[in-house]
Every structure is written in C-alpha cells, then in structure tokens.
Amino acid sequence: MLTANRSDIGRVRHVNEDQSWVSQLNNGITIAIVADGMGGHQAGDVASQKAVDAFRSMLEQSAAKADLSLQEGKMLIRQAISQANEAVFEMASRNERYHNMGTTIVAALVKQDNAIIGHVGDSRAYKIKEGVITQITNDHTLVNELVKSGQLSAEEAAHHPRRNVLTRAVGTDSQVEIEVQSVEWSPEDVLLLCSDGLSNLVSEQQMLQTVTTEQLELEAKADHLIQLALHAGGDDNITVVLLQEAGSTNRGE
C-alpha cells in the first residue's frame, strides 16, 4: 500500500487542531485516521491528539491478527472510536480547561477487497474509482440534517453560515453514535480521508483531477490538495490522507 499523510495549519489559525495517523500492519492491513479537534483555549488539539492516541493503541494490537474478518474489522473500528470517545470525555470531565472539547474522526481499515470506514462528525472519506469520486461518509452536521429533510438545497448548505455546527462529535458526551460501513476495494482505487479544511474549500472535481493525474506521485498529490485549499483561503487547518495499492497503474511513475 502506498500512503500519504499531510497536514497544514492553514492561513488563519494559530494552532493545528487536526491530527492524523497511518500505519501498515504486518498482516497487510492498513489503518488510517483523521481527527479535527474543537474547543476553546487550544483544547481542540488536545482532544484530537488524545483521540488518535486511544484509537491507535487499541487497533495496533487488536487488528494485527492474521485472518481478520469483515465483521471483526467493523467491530474493531467501532470499539476503537468508542475508546477514543471515552478517553477524550474523561479528560474533559477531569479538567475545567478542557470542558466541552471534542473532535471529529474519520478512520479506515483497509484489507484485501474491503475498506471499512468509521466516522463521527464532518471529516470525510472519499473513494476514487475509474475516474469517479464518491463521498462515502455522511456529515453529522445540522446543515446536512436540513438537506436530508428537504429544508435546504445542497447549494444553500455549502454557503450556510452554520454549516460547521456538528450534531455529534467524539468526546463531548459519555456515549457517541458511530457510523461504520464497508465499501468494496480494488487495487486501482484511491481512498481520501480529510478534515473539513479541505472539503469546504476544494471541490470534488479538483480532488478527482489531482488524484487521477499521472504526473504526480501519491505524496505530491496530497501536497497539491493542501496547496489548493491554501490558495482558496486556507481559513482552517487542512489534513489529507491518501491510500492506494502499490501495484496501481496510475501511480505516475
């Protein structure tokens, strides 16, 4: 598996509250996570780091078994995000400075012919396959709820002043509802995980063009996506993770 993991503070923020991590286990499974923290007084970066650490410590051990089934993979992603929720919530409960801090999470566990995606919040996963980009995750935001109920159009939602208001996040409550799904995965596919610092400023068409260009290696594609967000204003932290099988044809060699 080829992987690229890039993050930038952006042009406006003083702290990067995004955290990401990618690992390839000995059994051929690749795990990735992007977390976008929130909370005053730099609590956001504490929340996202705490969440990624908790997620990582559980999955590095438990996902390393030789014959991990699809159901086990889904259960592990759910448990790891739940563990991250407990870790952040407990820390916020103990320390007044971190009161109400939380984080989004989008995570992937990629094995052979399946990618298992778990998420809470509005950090996103996209799959690029045969020249088509598909958003896999469903934003847990107030505005998206209004779109789904027909009260807002997608165009209105994109520019709505409250589009960043989350309906759920990791660490703000003792329990959180976690969305877990699996998608088919083949060697030519590319998985893109990102914080909303990318998806709010870079269109799906721009993402698709960047990922499918044959002139760039995978890491350069991730760098280019960050640059597109910066050129578009860079008003938030920007994090991008790209995953692609090493044997793929459009690697740009």
Side-chain angles (χ1 to χ4, degrees):
M1 183 80 75
L2 294 171
T3 68
N5 181 7
R6 293 285 187 274
S7 190
D8 193 281
I9 196 168
R11 298 192 183 280
V12 177
R13 301 292 179 91
H14 298 295
V15 176
N16 192 344
E17 296 186 327
D18 289 359
Q19 293 287 342
S20 55
W21 170 72
V22 181
S23 181
Q24 299 185 63
L25 304 181
N26 291 335
N27 58 355
I29 286 175
T30 300
I31 304 168
I33 180 172
V34 170
D36 179 357
M38 59 192 195
H41 313 298
Q42 298 182 14
D45 63 324
V46 174
S48 58
Q49 182 68 62
K50 190 79 177 167
V52 169
D53 287 348
F55 177 91
R56 175 179 181 171
S57 66
M58 186 193 153
L59 274 193
E60 272 189 317
Q61 296 165 344
S62 54
K65 59 179 285 190
D67 52 351
L68 192 73
S69 71
L70 184 63
Q71 284 310 112
E72 285 174 317
K74 285 183 171 180
M75 184 184 70
L76 286 179
I77 280 270
R78 190 179 297 280
Q79 286 177 340
I81 296 176
S82 184
Q83 194 148 312
N85 187 76
E86 285 176 26
V88 176
F89 181 74
E90 189 206 355
M91 190 175 192
S93 304
R94 285 201 324 261
N95 191 325
E96 183 59 38
R97 202 169 53 149
Y98 298 143
H99 179 64
N100 270 350
M101 73 174 177
T103 183
T104 69
I105 280 180
V106 61
L109 189 157
V110 183
K111 59 187 289 291
Q112 287 138 356
D113 51 3
N114 279 287
I116 300 164
I117 311 294
H119 89 288
V120 177
D122 62 355
S123 291
R124 291 180 179 176
Y126 294 89
K127 187 169 91 162
I128 294 93
K129 181 184 183 69
E130 295 174 353
V132 177
I133 184 167
T134 306
Q135 183 181 330
I136 302 170
T137 52
N138 182 29
D139 292 351
H140 299 141
T141 58
L142 182 63
V143 163
N144 196 40
E145 293 297 322
L146 295 174
V147 171
K148 286 196 290 185
S149 64
Q151 296 175 66
L152 276 183
S153 70
E155 181 59 32
E156 288 170 327
H159 304 287
H160 197 281
R162 300 190 70 202
R163 67 180 182 274
N164 292 336
V165 177
L166 299 176
T167 51
R168 54 180 119 151
V170 167
T172 52
D173 296 284
S174 59
Q175 303 285 323
V176 67
E177 191 181 344
I178 301 156
E179 204 165 317
V180 177
Q181 58 187 309
S182 65
V183 294
E184 287 186 354
W185 178 256
S186 60
E188 296 75 36
D189 300 346
V190 179
L191 195 63
L192 187 164
L193 308 182
C194 66
S195 61
D196 67 342
L198 184 82
S199 53
N200 281 343
L201 294 176
V202 178
S203 69
E204 288 190 5
Q205 190 57 37
Q206 287 174 302
M207 293 182 198
L208 180 63
Q209 285 175 336
T210 301
V211 169
T212 54
T213 182
E214 298 192 0
Q215 278 70 51
L216 299 175
E217 293 284 347
L218 200 67
E219 292 191 357
K221 291 175 182 180
D223 287 333
H224 185 66
L225 288 169
I226 298 268
Q227 290 304 316
L228 286 173
L230 290 171
H231 288 316
D235 60 2
D236 198 355
N237 310 140
I238 312 148
T239 300
V240 180
V241 169
L242 295 175
L243 305 179
Q244 182 177 26
E245 291 291 343
S248 177
T249 51
N250 65 346
R251 208 169 77 185
E253 288 182 336

